[in-house]
Amino acid sequence: MNNLLNTTKKIVLIYKNRALVALAVISVLVTTPMLHAQPGTAPSAPEPPSGIANKALVPFKSQGVAAANPLAANAGFRMLKQGGSAVDAAIATQLVLGLVEPQSSGIGGGAFALVHDAKQKILRTYDGRETAPAAATPSRFIGADGLPMKFYDAAISGKSVGTPGTVALLQAMHKRHGKLPWKTLFAPAIELAENGFAVSPRLREVVRVDRFLKDDPAARAYFYDAAGEPWPVGHVLKNPAYAATLRAIAKSGAKAFYEGEIADAMVAAVGEYADESKRGDLTRTDLANYRVVEREPICFNYRGRKICSMPAPSSGGVAIAQMLAALERFPMAQWGANSLDSVHAMAEAGRLAYADRAQYLADPEFVEFPKGLLDPGYMQARGALIDMGKSMKRAEPGTPPGLKLAHGADPTAVLTGTSHISIVDKFGNAVSMTTTIEDIFGARKMVRGFLLNNELTDFSMRFEENGKPVANRVQAGKRPRSTMAPIVVYDARGNPDIIAGSPGGSAIANYVMKTLVAMIDWNLDPQAAIALPNLGSRNGPTELEKGTPLEALKPELEARGHSVSIIDFTSGVQALQRTRDAKGRAIGWRGGADPRREGHVAGD
Ligand code: GLY
């Protein structure tokens, strides 16, 4: 276990519910886990915690950005202070994230964004998910032995690289919602790339423990010194290649990325593997044909609150809707945070939702989305399967009303290098955007200063199960299923009240669900809600966050039939919430960032 970094830190966790307000100062052994399990086994949380640091709630009046890195949040905030919109701020934030948190997101990846347009009182969703190249077939990840490939054999190859969608998404959002000139939004990232930024503890650590990054010559030259050591914390790292890429996109728009020299460089990189079996098939045509899709958001009610999220190809919003519908019949407020009953109910709700997710969710252009999954009667009937005395251990998928086609289940565990951005502007607009390059450092292939995604491993490697086609199988032009769940919660007047989301692979739905329950049922502020220990079930064991008070519940959960895993459960939630006076009138905002990463809130 030479990848372990053991650091004793003091953390202050505030757990408060209606029955209890407790301030606990806990000395914990914060353990950065092995980043990757052996090839072929799926790490449950591929992005490790970077040490848990207590973070303070950030109040602000009218405009603010919560992002995974202070430099990125500040870049977005700078746009807001220049009179920019929430979308302008999101673009500047994303471009800096691709530089300072390159392991998680960037222009070589994809994203989903919810944009609340205050003037039109409408919520739009933008799907900038990567697509499979036109040459892709369902057997893409079946090896020469006829079996699904080991995860990292697929991920660290050109085969995993999908047509990136983030640049097109940023441009599409800007065209409709931008206030500042497109070029202006690139200034903070270009300045930082040219002048350099200080390597953060998290970046240093994830570079240090990664097993594959060094194998790519461009990544090796950038992330390590001449002796092959990762740059130390505080080293001023410059990325002139990224600055040049951004200058080209700033000048000529997304076209500069999807056509021309940058496109040529991506196509060449994906095909340049010495081992033929690792060569990808991304083409100039795939890039030139990339399109952002606007979709109807999925909206549902929980305890009288309207909550909206991303529809398929993301499974995250659907899973959260189903989990919350199942929880609604329980007195969650009375049970409180970290209680046996709450954890039991949340884990069981997770089992049910993740069973449906595995069976039904895929790109809706290829596999019709079974609308019955969100039918209130269906969701309640699923929730009624929860027995408070006994775990169901493993849930079977349900049969939603109106189901037309049976599929085989997809057991794919989604890994992630992902990040979430929450923004509000002084005009009343909001952006909730979750952005990814899939596994940490994506395909470990650096082109022109940015990393290419390995998003196609979010497809099922198996294309059929028990003789039935898997909904989430690879198909040409298809978008892989995601769990990313950007959220906007509305108040009774139809204004955004909470903006939230998280990275975390297939656990995203659990992290976001916990945050919402904490804010809505337990009345916690965003920071306290995020800091609350993570928990849930992805229809396997009941998972509890290591080093937290939840560990103490293991024996009682086992007595109810749970198989319990204590794991690093590294969320990266960024959440903003409106503040109100005693009469319920909106008076400002407050924001929280995940203490498990390097999140930051900037606002005024
Ligand atoms: N790659 C993470 C997700 O899309 O859920």
Side-chain angles (χ1 to χ4, degrees), residues 112 129 314 357 414-418 436-439 455 458 480-484 505-506 508:
F112 294 135
R129 186 75 165 158
S314 186
R357 170 186 176 275
V414 180
L415 311 176
T416 189
T418 301
T436 184
I437 55 169
E438 218 300 277
D439 194 32
E455 211 70 52
D458 271 2
R481 181 189 65 199
S482 171
T483 318
M484 296 191 293
S506 58
I508 287 172

Side-chain angles (χ1 to χ4, degrees), residues 265-566:
M266 286 191 278
V267 168
V270 165
E272 78 184 354
Y273 294 79
D275 176 352
E276 202 179 324
S277 71
K278 290 198 173 292
R279 281 183 207 150
D281 44 16
L282 182 73
T283 65
R284 283 286 302 261
T285 310
D286 292 320
L287 288 160
N289 285 345
Y290 186 83
R291 295 291 173 265
V292 174
V293 183
E294 267 191 77
R295 303 186 186 278
E296 270 298 302
I298 56 161
C299 296
F300 49 93
N301 284 300
Y302 180 63
R303 308 222 190 267
R305 312 285 292 272
K306 182 179 168 190
I307 302 177
C308 295
S309 190
M310 195 69 207
S314 186
S315 61
V318 178
I320 291 167
Q322 292 189 327
M323 286 191 273
L324 292 179
L327 294 179
E328 205 159 22
R329 77 180 164 100
F330 296 119
M332 298 299 288
Q334 186 192 320
W335 287 343
N338 303 333
S339 69
L340 179 64
D341 283 336
S342 288
V343 172
H344 175 86
M346 290 160 96
E348 296 299 284
R351 290 192 160 83
L352 292 162
Y354 277 81
D356 276 359
R357 170 186 176 275
Q359 188 80 9
Y360 298 117
L361 267 291
D363 183 342
E365 319 284 331
F366 288 75
V367 177
E368 193 177 329
F369 173 69
K371 289 194 182 68
L373 289 175
L374 294 172
D375 176 82
Y378 171 75
M379 292 196 291
Q380 278 157 21
R382 291 285 283 165
L385 298 175
I386 297 176
D387 176 344
M388 282 307 294
K390 199 165 165 256
S391 173
M392 65 185 79
K393 294 180 193 293
R394 189 166 179 85
E396 292 302 321
T399 307
L403 184 68
K404 291 195 185 127
L405 184 63
H407 284 103
D410 167 14
T412 310
V414 180
L415 311 176
T416 189
T418 301
S419 206
H420 181 80
I421 305 167
S422 293
I423 303 182
V424 292
D425 66 26
K426 63 184 175 217
F427 314 104
N429 305 306
V431 172
S432 185
M433 173 167 157
T434 313
T435 172
T436 184
I437 55 169
E438 218 300 277
D439 194 32
I440 194 160
F441 295 109
R444 278 67 162 193
K445 180 61 80 180
M446 200 163 192
V447 181
R448 305 258 168 159
F450 62 91
L451 287 159
L452 292 177
N453 70 83
N454 66 302
E455 211 70 52
L456 302 190
T457 54
D458 271 2
F459 281 119
S460 171
M461 291 201 188
R462 294 181 192 280
F463 54 86
E464 59 175 31
E465 195 76 16
N466 299 326
K468 291 185 192 142
V470 172
N472 185 36
R473 67 191 180 280
V474 184
Q475 291 175 271
K478 191 176 180 182
R479 295 168 192 232
R481 181 189 65 199
S482 171
T483 318
M484 296 191 293
I487 292 280
V488 177
V489 181
Y490 282 92
D491 67 15
R493 293 167 168 258
N495 295 315
D497 197 46
I498 296 171
I499 323 294
S502 180
S506 58
I508 287 172
N510 282 323
Y511 298 150
V512 176
M513 180 269 289
K514 177 213 77 177
T515 308
L516 292 173
V517 168
M519 292 172 79
I520 294 172
D521 288 296
W522 301 327
N523 213 18
L524 293 182
D525 67 54
Q527 192 58 54
I530 294 166
L532 214 56
N534 286 322
L535 69 138
S537 172
R538 291 175 267 182
N539 206 19
T542 294
E543 296 169 313
L544 306 177
E545 188 174 2
K546 196 192 278 178
T548 71
L550 288 185
E551 284 191 17
L553 295 179
K554 186 171 187 269
E556 289 169 284
L557 286 165
E558 285 172 345
R560 288 194 192 182
H562 293 251
S563 146
V564 176
S565 283
I566 309 283

Side-chain angles (χ1 to χ4, degrees), residues 97-284:
L97 278 177
L99 178 71
V100 300
E101 198 203 31
Q103 69 272 20
S104 298
S105 75
I107 59 175
F112 294 135
L114 304 188
V115 180
H116 173 80
D117 184 323
K119 215 173 194 174
Q120 298 191 359
K121 278 219 153 207
I122 189 173
L123 181 73
R124 296 185 185 275
T125 82
Y126 294 88
D127 172 349
R129 186 75 165 158
E130 299 89 333
T131 54
T137 63
S139 60
R140 187 175 190 83
F141 296 122
I142 300 294
D145 55 4
L147 296 172
M149 292 166 76
K150 290 177 179 163
F151 177 79
Y152 283 112
D153 286 348
I156 316 299
S157 85
K159 285 187 165 184
S160 70
V161 180
T163 313
T166 296
V167 175
L169 172 133
L170 299 181
Q171 181 164 285
M173 292 199 303
H174 183 257
K175 272 202 170 125
R176 187 177 273 139
H177 308 280
K179 282 185 186 291
L180 296 176
W182 172 248
K183 221 172 160 179
T184 304
L185 313 176
F186 288 69
I190 292 173
E191 283 163 24
L192 282 166
E194 284 178 345
N195 301 333
F197 67 96
V199 169
S200 74
R202 180 168 180 78
L203 178 55
R204 199 252 174 203
E205 186 56 14
V206 292
V207 171
R208 188 183 75 81
V209 300
D210 197 79
R211 294 190 289 135
F212 307 108
L213 194 59
K214 249 185 211 172
D215 295 342
D216 177 61
R220 186 185 177 96
Y222 177 63
F223 288 107
Y224 303 84
D225 67 16
E229 290 298 315
W231 296 113
V233 174
H235 170 80
V236 176
L237 189 57
K238 296 181 183 172
N239 189 341
Y242 185 59
T245 296
L246 294 186
R247 280 193 190 285
I249 304 169
K251 182 169 171 233
S252 308
K255 207 167 179 253
F257 181 84
Y258 290 98
E259 298 169 29
E261 273 181 29
I262 301 171
D264 283 341
M266 286 191 278
V267 168
V270 165
E272 78 184 354
Y273 294 79
D275 176 352
E276 202 179 324
S277 71
K278 290 198 173 292
R279 281 183 207 150
D281 44 16
L282 182 73
T283 65
R284 283 286 302 261

